[in-house]
Amino acid sequence: MHSEKLQDQQMCVSQVKQMNADCQELEGADQVKNYPQQSLSYAQAQLKVIQDWGRFPHRNQILGRSHTPQKNKAGGQMGPFLN
C-alpha cells in the first residue's frame, strides 16, 4: 500500500479484493469480515492518488520534491494522502 508504483497499487487492490472475498465466506467473525472491506476502501483511495498524481504528494516535502503546478493550485484542499 505504500509504494508509489502504479503496478504495485493495482496489485494491492486486486489482492485486497481477493482477501475480502475470502473473508466473506467465513462463518461469523464479523470483525474479520469488516477489516478487508475497510482495507479495500483505503487501497482504492491510494490507487486513485497514484493514477492521478503518479506519487503521494504529501511526501514531497520530506523527500525534497517540489510540488506539481496542480498541487500548488489545489493547496490544502486535496484530501487524504495528498496534503
Side-chain angles (χ1 to χ4, degrees):
M1 283 189 175
H2 299 285
S3 173
E4 290 187 334
K5 295 179 181 176
L6 180 59
Q7 289 177 318
D8 292 345
Q9 291 295 327
Q10 291 168 330
M11 181 175 59
C12 179
V13 168
S14 176
Q15 290 179 344
V16 173
K17 281 182 179 179
Q18 183 60 53
M19 180 177 65
N20 187 34
D22 293 344
C23 287
Q24 297 312 308
E25 295 175 7
L26 298 174
E27 304 247 347
D30 289 337
Q31 186 175 10
V32 172
K33 291 180 181 181
N34 291 336
Y35 177 76
Q37 292 171 334
Q38 294 169 349
S39 295
L40 181 57
S41 295
Y42 190 78
Q44 289 171 326
Q46 288 191 306
L47 172 60
K48 176 126 176 64
V49 170
I50 298 301
Q51 287 172 327
D52 291 350
W53 298 88
R55 62 187 185 184
F56 293 115
H58 71 278
R59 296 179 178 172
N60 286 347
Q61 183 177 8
I62 195 74
L63 294 175
R65 301 187 298 210
S66 59
H67 293 309
T68 64
Q70 297 92 336
K71 168 72 169 129
N72 287 332
K73 185 176 179 182
Q77 307 300 315
M78 297 177 63
F81 316 116
L82 297 172
N83 293 323

